[in-house]
Amino acid sequence: CCEGCPQEFLKDPDKYLAMTEFRERRPAPEEIGKETWCTVMKHKFKVTANTPVIDYHGKSFYFCCPGCPGEFKKNPEKYVTP
């Protein structure tokens, strides 16, 4: 749509190519320290360098422990629907 779009895409193409699939990752430096909610356990915590994150349908979901992403992946719609 604009001159900046191709540059943004090239910085992180997986982010845009995997909009409908799971993309597991670790937090970016700017996400560390952010206060958020665990998508599965529904409690507040601060993001650390080891926090599991899944990008799903263009949105980032944060998890308090290594077991939560597996639960999320079994039935993501259970957790993404308000």
Side-chain angles (χ1 to χ4, degrees):
C1 67
C2 65
E3 274 184 32
C5 286
Q7 292 171 353
E8 280 301 305
F9 175 81
L10 291 174
K11 286 181 190 174
D12 189 4
D14 288 340
K15 174 181 176 182
Y16 301 100
L17 295 174
M19 291 295 220
T20 59
E21 296 183 25
F22 299 109
R23 178 175 170 251
E24 294 185 57
R25 63 179 179 86
R26 291 291 180 206
E30 62 272 9
E31 295 171 302
I32 296 171
K34 170 183 169 181
E35 196 168 273
T36 191
W37 289 87
C38 176
T39 304
V40 173
M41 299 301 286
K42 306 290 187 212
H43 68 84
K44 226 178 219 187
F45 71 101
K46 284 195 178 185
V47 175
T48 70
N50 293 319
T51 296
V53 183
I54 291 180
D55 294 330
Y56 178 70
H57 287 273
K59 185 173 178 192
S60 298
F61 296 91
Y62 302 87
F63 304 95
C64 64
C65 66
C68 288
E71 285 302 308
F72 176 82
K73 287 167 49 174
K74 287 178 188 176
N75 184 4
E77 295 309 313
K78 173 181 174 181
Y79 301 104
V80 299
T81 307

